[in-house]
Amino acid sequence: MIHSLFLVNSSGDIFLEKHWKSVVSRSVCDYFFEAQERASEPENVAPVIPTPHHYLISVYRHKIFFVAVIQSEVPPLFVIEFLHRVVDTFQDYFGVCSEAAVKDNVVVVYELLEEMLDNGFPLATESNILKELIKPPTILRTVVNTITGSTNVGEQLPTGQLSVVPWRRTGVKYTNNEAYFDVVEEIDAIIDKSGSTVTAEIQGVVDASVKLTGMPDLTLSFVNPRLLDDVSFHPCVRFKRWEAERILSFIPPDGNFRLLSYHVSSQNLVAIPVYVKHSISFREGSSLGHFEITIGPKQTMGKAVEGVLVTSQMPKAVLNMNLTCTQGAYTFDPVTKMLSWDVGKINPQKLPSLKGSMSLQTGASKPDENPTINIQCKIQQLALSGLKVNRLDMYGEKYKPFKGIKYMTKAGKFQVRT
């Protein structure tokens, strides 16, 4: 399975390595660095890189590359999913998954990796089990460990590891029993020059934070479950029940976890949250160009569009931009040619616009194509696909828990061609 793991920072330095079966030389990462140099963006590095004797499989999160080295053929998604679990575990333990956090907690990191993989095969990847095996670091525990020379490793084998529900520890007790669910959707879309949708799809997740006493059995039903394609569940979900009745029935892990992730790719079901009116022109032989864009809400069910950020990579011929905006603030970097406009919240009564002129290189030919506009935004209390939770019921325990559902939509790769 996985022979070695290398953690590479954004400047291309290996700052942590872990070997399971045999020590693999760091020089194997040279193939990865070559691929990194060829890629324009860190996200564009190929996830699977074949080398003469190994395969390098990587994920890029929190400005860190997690590079796994394998020798025999393994389903790549298996390794990628494991690497994502490693990142999520680090985030759960240290609050953030950054180079500094990993270096500060290097002993706990090695202990976790030792438990998560056994001789290169995944063993304990559930947060609840890991927290019983290895106690999360706290300032007090760190001080005690330094003085006494003890470690964060637990004394006993986790109770959950031996039960039929390995994701939940036994004997959980809370004074406030609560279950919160967040439905978060991310829309990826390409809009053409005329405003028509070229492609649009929604990636959605239901994240849960469950703090319930005992061994509760929950059922969650949706108003319109047929919307969901390509659903992926947490291991706690009873798949037979979902297939038969489209109801999620599960004994939840204790704490935070991702209950399911889904995909909505049917074009007619994907609503476009914002529209852009644009007029960008370069005249042949002239050293000036015209730039004007206006952004407004489209299919948002009356909800406010917040945190709007518009970015555009201008052509190399553009030397500077002299613009005025009716809302927010803009910056233009003459070196990278990146225009960034921080709009904030859109007021539907007074739509924000950005207009002015562009200075071009004298004698430079007219750019071949107009720049594309990238948009980031979020809408609270709205799931763009129309997905709605119908009800949440609990069985197996006598108390009444506090329940809450929150919806949010945000833009992923949302691009408008001009």
Side-chain angles (χ1 to χ4, degrees), residues 5-245:
L5 174 69
F6 294 98
L7 268 59
V8 182
N9 63 16
S10 45
S11 53
D13 301 324
I14 299 168
F15 65 92
L16 187 127
E17 57 184 280
K18 172 84 178 97
H19 306 280
W20 282 275
K21 294 191 171 184
S22 54
V23 177
V24 176
S25 165
R26 279 186 173 202
S27 60
V28 76
C29 290
D30 292 348
Y31 296 97
F32 176 77
F33 296 138
E34 282 170 23
Q36 201 179 352
E37 277 171 31
R38 284 197 300 271
S40 53
E41 296 280 325
E43 289 87 357
N44 296 344
V45 175
V48 181
I49 300 166
T51 74
H53 302 292
H54 304 90
Y55 292 97
L56 304 180
I57 298 180
S58 65
V59 299
Y60 179 70
R61 282 181 64 183
H62 307 290
K63 298 184 178 170
I64 300 173
F65 285 100
F66 291 75
V67 185
V69 180
I70 57 173
Q71 277 188 344
S72 51
E73 270 202 36
V74 173
L77 284 176
F78 189 44
V79 182
I80 288 169
E81 176 59 29
F82 173 76
L83 293 176
H84 282 300
R85 287 281 178 100
V86 170
V87 181
D88 294 341
T89 304
F90 288 175
Q91 210 168 350
D92 197 17
Y93 264 71
F94 315 131
V96 287
C97 178
S98 63
E99 185 180 348
V102 170
K103 284 178 174 174
D104 290 346
N105 299 284
V106 71
V107 174
V108 180
V109 166
Y110 277 112
E111 286 170 351
L112 283 170
L113 291 173
E114 202 59 62
E115 292 299 338
M116 291 181 83
L117 271 194
D118 181 45
N119 196 32
F121 290 89
L123 180 66
T125 56
E126 278 298 330
S127 172
N128 281 303
I129 288 174
L130 285 167
K131 279 183 179 166
E132 282 189 72
L133 281 167
I134 296 147
K135 305 283 185 286
T138 59
I139 295 167
L140 180 65
R141 196 172 282 140
T142 309
V143 171
V144 171
N145 289 354
T146 311
I147 296 165
T148 62
S150 54
T151 68
N152 288 11
V153 179
E155 298 290 314
Q156 295 169 317
L157 193 68
T159 47
Q161 189 121 25
L162 307 171
S163 75
V164 286
V165 278
W167 53 84
R168 189 173 179 86
R169 55 200 177 93
T170 52
V172 183
K173 282 189 175 66
Y174 287 103
T175 44
N176 294 335
N177 291 290
E178 49 197 28
Y180 297 110
F181 293 88
D182 289 353
V183 179
V184 182
E185 295 192 338
E186 196 170 275
I187 176 168
D188 298 332
I190 297 174
I191 312 297
D192 72 7
K193 204 172 179 176
S194 61
S196 312
T197 307
V198 180
T199 67
E201 59 179 32
I202 290 171
Q203 313 282 349
V205 296
V206 177
D207 284 331
S209 176
V210 176
K211 291 173 180 173
L212 299 174
T213 304
M215 196 65 82
D217 200 326
L218 303 180
T219 61
L220 182 76
S221 62
F222 297 102
V223 174
N224 39 9
R226 303 279 164 202
L227 285 174
L228 308 178
D229 312 329
D230 198 11
V231 190
S232 144
F233 298 109
H234 187 277
C236 68
V237 175
R238 298 179 179 104
F239 188 58
K240 286 260 168 67
R241 178 100 188 257
W242 169 261
E243 277 198 312
E245 302 170 48

